[in-house]
Amino acid sequence: MDQFDARSPREVLNLVSTRLGCSPTSGEIANYLDRHDQLKHLREQFLIPKVAELPLADLTLVDGTEECIYFAGNSLGLPPKMAKTYIAEELDKWAKMGVYGHVHGSRPWGWAENTIEELMARIVGAKSAEVALMNGLTVNLHILLLSFYNPTAKRHKILIEDMAFPSDHYAVESQIQLRGYDPKQSMLVMKPRQGEVVLRTEDILETIHKEGDSIAVVLFSGVQYYTGQFFDMAAITKAGQEKGCYVGFDCAHAVGNTELKLHDWGVDFACWCTYKYVNSSAGGLAGAFIHEKNAHSVKPALMGWWGHDMKTRFRMDNKMELLPGVGGYRLSNQPVLLVCPLQASLEVFAMTSIPALRNKSKLLTGYLEYLIQEYFKKDDAHTDKPYVHIITPSNPEERGCQLSLSFSIPILSVFQELQKRGVACDLREPNVLRVAPAPLYNSFSDVHRFITVLRSALATSGPTGQ
Ligand SMILES: *Cc1c(COP(=O)(O)O)cnc(C)c1O
């Protein structure tokens, strides 16, 4: 897609439609963009469900033998083909050598996760020693907050965005209580302006500037799961640290989706799950990051044998030789069966680069946005025509691949009609449909097909339908 890299999605679509002599909404455009997609081969690395395999598909409405339109990678990524092979290898090794598997084979269980941390680190823009793969996301958030949140009478607040993912909200609430403070006073929830849904960077920075002296930790998501907004992580980090706060991010929706530079931005700590855009399977091994500048000054509150220096870990002399930085936060040995699918996915990421994925992603999501605006704009002349409003920021730099859509008609029926027609996406209360074309395996034709299906879904569930 090099020839398009410097252009906006709209410019690219106009260019291609002129070249092909067809309308920008024609399916020929999608075919053309797929043919020229330099990452199209990556789709072959994944297993894509067929329409008939989706539990809610209605085969009287759609062809069940086609691949489904999978726009739910923001919730659960698709399986890399090699996942099954790697898991089978480890089951086989277990059967053949039992306990010797800890130190033998291509993926010794004793340090299997260490063998893929370098690949993970590249995706989040970190040094290998700054990243640990372990536990689940919420567990990692808790163990990081236990070190980074040290409330005092003067500085006791945690700043978090309004409508944060519930698990993050509860984690923060319970951490504040654990330290004997009251969430009503110590949990600073940043809301958008009246009548707006996304936060303005200037408002975030101003809040930090105004309230910073009482804030111990600034904790934002990288990409907001509900609105799809990609926060200006570098600016937030700088502003928070200037006021003496620690700054951390939950990168669950940002990892594998946007270009992260956790090290260069000087982020203090971060955590993420790997089952969304990183395709590691439900409940997969999560990630944690602690910047190297904190490696010796910030210590884990809880320790386990896996935080012990590997060289002497198995001497079992109960004299802790703690690994510096995030390594020292490891508690247990890691489940190798979760390392396998994550390895398979990280190897696919290693076949390309995050900037290349982002370039495709901007065009793919821009194409989706363009077609939604073409077909489902609010039409003041025909007021009963259902329309779609995109709440995600329109600037590609302020979002990842996801668009969050709200509708002028009841959303549940739209969602059900889409599912019947072989679309996997998700409905989030109160009224947002999230669609996420993932650049690793989604195509421009997926986007075009989605629009066709959405037109038919809206025609069926609109005021003129039943
Ligand atoms: C997906 C997600 C979670 C889920 O947490 P788990 O501990 O993996 O169950 C938490 N926070 C955010 C922001 C998420 O997007």
Side-chain angles (χ1 to χ4, degrees), residues 161 192 197-201 204 220-232 236 253-254 257-258 391-393 395 397-400 402 404:
E161 86 262 17
V197 265
V198 300
L199 290 165
R200 299 192 192 193
T201 304
I204 300 174
F220 270 80
S221 47
V223 171
Q224 223 285 336
Y225 85 99
Y226 186 77
T227 64
Q229 178 179 17
F230 181 25
F231 291 113
D232 188 337
I236 293 173
H253 280 261
N257 179 27
T258 55
I391 69 170
T392 306
N395 177 358
E397 304 303 331
E398 292 174 37
R399 68 186 184 201
Q402 170 185 321
S404 303

Side-chain angles (χ1 to χ4, degrees), residues 115-431:
T115 62
I116 56 171
E117 279 165 349
E118 168 65 35
L119 293 178
M120 184 79 255
R122 270 191 237 159
I123 294 178
V124 295
K127 296 186 178 178
S128 197
E130 293 173 318
V131 167
L133 289 168
M134 57 186 183
N135 312 315
L137 166 54
T138 308
V139 175
N140 287 344
L141 179 56
H142 272 299
I143 63 179
L144 288 166
L145 283 174
L146 283 175
S147 291
F148 285 92
Y149 179 53
N150 294 297
T152 61
K154 187 169 166 292
R155 195 188 276 277
H156 55 92
K157 292 181 190 163
I158 298 181
L159 175 66
I160 186 170
E161 86 262 17
D162 186 35
M163 294 276 292
F165 196 92
S167 205
D168 301 47
H169 191 95
Y170 306 145
V172 166
E173 219 168 26
S174 59
Q175 286 279 337
I176 290 171
Q177 277 163 344
L178 181 69
R179 300 304 182 95
Y181 286 80
D182 178 358
K184 281 201 203 70
Q185 265 99 54
S186 300
M187 191 164 171
L188 194 56
V189 177
M190 168 104 212
K191 288 192 182 9
R193 291 186 190 188
Q194 190 81 37
E196 299 186 4
V197 265
V198 300
L199 290 165
R200 299 192 192 193
T201 304
E202 73 221 60
D203 292 353
I204 300 174
L205 302 185
E206 196 187 297
T207 300
I208 294 172
H209 192 72
K210 270 217 249 124
E211 309 260 355
D213 292 335
S214 66
I215 298 173
V217 174
V218 174
L219 178 70
F220 270 80
S221 47
V223 171
Q224 223 285 336
Y225 85 99
Y226 186 77
T227 64
Q229 178 179 17
F230 181 25
F231 291 113
D232 188 337
M233 296 171 63
I236 293 173
T237 304
K238 184 162 174 285
Q241 290 172 349
E242 273 169 9
K243 294 299 278 186
C245 320
Y246 278 127
V247 182
F249 289 92
D250 183 329
C251 296
H253 280 261
V255 60
N257 179 27
T258 55
E259 188 164 9
L260 295 174
K261 296 185 176 164
L262 296 180
H263 179 86
D264 289 352
W265 294 336
V267 168
D268 285 298
F269 69 94
C271 49
W272 57 93
C273 57
T274 58
Y275 49 80
K276 292 167 181 165
Y277 298 108
V278 190
N279 320 300
S280 73
S281 80
L285 207 55
F289 163 91
I290 294 180
H291 198 282
E292 68 179 2
K293 69 186 170 188
N294 298 320
H296 295 281
S297 50
V298 181
K299 301 276 186 215
L302 303 174
M303 295 192 294
W305 71 324
W306 234 245
H308 193 115
D309 194 323
M310 179 72 177
K311 291 196 240 22
T312 48
R313 185 180 294 165
F314 302 107
R315 265 190 213 158
M316 315 298 261
D317 59 4
N318 292 358
K319 295 203 187 78
M320 179 50 110
E321 287 173 41
L322 190 70
L323 286 164
V326 77
Y329 285 68
R330 301 173 202 269
L331 298 171
S332 294
N333 74 97
Q334 303 304 329
V336 72
L337 295 185
L338 293 185
V339 171
C340 293
L342 180 53
Q343 178 184 345
S345 176
L346 292 176
E347 286 172 352
V348 182
F349 275 95
M351 294 173 191
T352 177
S353 67
I354 295 290
L357 273 171
R358 268 297 275 166
N359 276 335
K360 173 176 172 184
S361 182
K362 284 179 190 166
L363 186 57
L364 192 63
T365 293
Y367 182 46
L368 175 62
E369 178 183 45
Y370 176 87
L371 290 177
I372 289 174
Q373 285 168 346
E374 281 300 300
Y375 284 108
F376 312 114
K377 242 204 314 261
K378 186 170 181 179
D379 182 348
D380 292 325
H382 302 92
T383 47
D384 64 342
K385 194 173 159 246
Y387 62 88
V388 179
H389 173 62
I390 303 175
I391 69 170
T392 306
S394 56
N395 177 358
E397 304 303 331
E398 292 174 37
R399 68 186 184 201
C401 71
Q402 170 185 321
L403 293 183
S404 303
L405 313 178
S406 75
F407 292 81
S408 61
I409 58 171
I411 193 167
L412 184 62
S413 74
V414 179
F415 181 51
Q416 287 166 341
E417 292 304 323
L418 286 172
Q419 288 178 309
K420 284 186 200 167
R421 290 164 175 78
V423 175
C425 60
D426 84 356
L427 172 68
R428 279 293 136 142
E429 299 296 344
N431 67 341

Side-chain angles (χ1 to χ4, degrees), residues 37-112:
D37 173 8
Q38 286 166 2
L39 303 183
K40 65 169 178 280
H41 58 289
L42 298 178
R43 181 179 173 96
E44 291 153 27
Q45 301 293 327
F46 293 89
L47 297 166
I48 318 254
K50 296 276 188 291
V51 169
E53 289 168 334
L54 296 184
L56 302 176
D58 178 345
L59 301 184
T60 64
L61 295 172
V62 274
D63 175 2
T65 64
E66 267 192 283
E67 283 172 340
C68 80
I69 302 171
Y70 197 83
F71 282 177
N74 55 349
S75 191
L76 186 72
L78 286 175
K81 284 181 180 164
M82 288 309 284
K84 210 172 181 172
T85 309
Y86 293 167
I87 291 171
E89 279 171 13
E90 295 314 312
L91 289 176
D92 200 44
K93 193 167 97 184
W94 184 22
K96 292 205 169 113
M97 59 170 96
V99 69
Y100 298 98
H102 277 310
V103 292
H104 291 278
S106 64
R107 206 179 284 111
W109 308 329
W111 53 91

